């Protein structure tokens, strides 16, 4: 249930890469809030808490992710945990296109992944504002259907999204960008190139 309250515990702390988080241990949020923060702000503790509270825990959650990947035809994809921080999570650009096309059909994922910002009350009682890690969702000239960013050393800065260009869906998959802003700039350049090609036809 999306209104079920979940709690961030020490089990949700990333002890491998030491990824920062503003969700302190003891923060209690609904499952909907956790999902919102995981999709919009790449909040890893929220993603881990979602997996931990899945029936059967993290192992069952990873199995469910892999089963869903197979039903979507994502045969180059394998998940071991829900945050994306493990380099054992692997996929391919083709599989990621399949994933974003499927998730774009889900209104909740569309809304959560393309929202600009969201406020929640964290463990110490303070209200924190979380912002979308994809700066393009704030641009009026972009019609983004679904979006997700990611980063680990092995994969570099990544961005996958489905956007509308000239009335057609365009899937953009950018992997191993060298800086946080380069993936955004590359997406803008790809769209501009496509629009110019269409204008010349």
């Amino acid at each position: 249930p999306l209104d079920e309250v979940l709690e961030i515990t020490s089990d949700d702390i990333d002890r491998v890469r030491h990824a920062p988080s503003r969700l302190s241990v003891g923060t209690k949020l609904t499952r909907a809030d956790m999902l919102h923060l995981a999709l919009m702000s790449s909040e890893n503790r929220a993603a881990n808490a979602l997996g931990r509270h899945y029936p059967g825990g993290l192992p069952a959650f990873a199995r469910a992710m892999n089963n869903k990947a197979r039903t979507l035809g994502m045969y180059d994809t394998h998940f071991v945990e829900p945050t994306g921080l493990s380099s054992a999570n692997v996929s391919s650009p083709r599989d990621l296109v399949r994933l974003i096309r499927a998730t774009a059909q889900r209104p909740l994922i569309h809304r959560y992944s393309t929202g600009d910002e969201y406020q929640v009350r964290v463990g110490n009682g303070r209200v924190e504002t979380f912002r979308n890690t994809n700066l393009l969702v704030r641009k009026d000239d972009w019609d983004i259907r679904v979006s997700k960013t990611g980063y680990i050393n092995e994969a570099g800065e990544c961005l996958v999204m489905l956007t509308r260009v000239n009335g057609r869906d365009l899937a953009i998959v950018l992997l191993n960008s060298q800086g946080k802003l380069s993936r955004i700039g590359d997406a803008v350049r790809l769209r501009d190139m496509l629009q110019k090609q269409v204008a010349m036809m």
Side-chain angles (χ1 to χ4, degrees):
L2 288 177
D3 59 354
E4 181 182 354
V5 175
L6 313 181
E7 183 174 359
I8 299 293
T9 72
S10 60
D11 292 334
D12 301 315
I13 296 173
D14 170 34
R15 301 185 191 282
V16 176
R17 296 183 187 269
H18 308 288
S21 174
R22 289 185 286 153
L23 294 181
S24 56
V25 171
T27 296
K28 294 180 180 179
L29 299 172
T30 64
R31 180 174 275 109
D33 287 340
M34 296 280 194
L35 183 61
H36 200 148
L37 295 179
L39 291 174
M40 186 189 79
S41 292
S42 293
E43 181 43 76
N44 297 307
R45 288 185 187 177
N48 199 74
L50 288 168
R52 209 168 34 76
H53 285 89
Y54 186 81
L58 288 168
F61 193 74
R63 281 194 301 275
M65 292 169 69
N66 288 312
N67 290 340
K68 176 57 77 173
R70 295 298 164 271
T71 64
L72 295 176
M74 298 170 62
Y75 299 117
D76 296 323
T77 297
H78 180 71
F79 300 111
V80 298
E81 53 84 41
T83 68
L85 291 172
S86 171
S87 60
N89 291 314
V90 294
S91 193
S92 67
R94 186 183 304 272
D95 279 6
L96 292 172
V97 170
R98 289 188 175 103
L99 179 61
I100 59 175
R101 288 178 67 187
T103 55
Q105 306 305 312
R106 302 285 189 149
L108 192 69
I109 295 177
H110 161 72
R111 192 166 81 244
Y112 285 177
S113 75
T114 60
D116 183 9
E117 63 179 43
Y118 191 63
Q119 290 186 330
V120 297
R121 190 173 300 278
V122 297
N124 56 15
R126 190 174 68 248
V127 173
E128 287 273 3
T129 300
F130 291 79
R131 290 186 173 78
N132 200 308
T133 49
N134 180 358
L135 303 176
L136 296 175
V137 302
R138 299 180 185 86
K139 305 286 187 184
D140 291 335
D141 60 336
W142 281 82
D143 181 7
I144 299 173
R145 302 305 175 91
V146 67
S147 165
K148 187 70 186 75
T149 63
Y151 172 80
I152 57 173
N153 289 335
E154 295 87 341
E157 298 283 347
C158 300
L159 170 65
V160 296
M161 66 178 177
L162 190 69
T163 185
R164 291 288 279 181
V165 177
N166 295 337
R168 297 178 63 187
D169 284 342
L170 172 67
I172 295 177
V173 176
L174 298 168
L175 307 176
N176 199 27
S177 293
Q178 295 306 305
K180 279 191 177 180
L181 294 179
S182 66
R183 61 189 177 188
I184 303 299
D186 287 344
V188 171
R189 283 185 285 276
L190 283 169
R191 188 189 67 165
D192 290 348
M193 281 175 26
L194 182 66
Q195 287 176 323
K196 286 176 186 173
Q197 286 180 352
V198 170
M200 292 170 60
M201 294 172 71

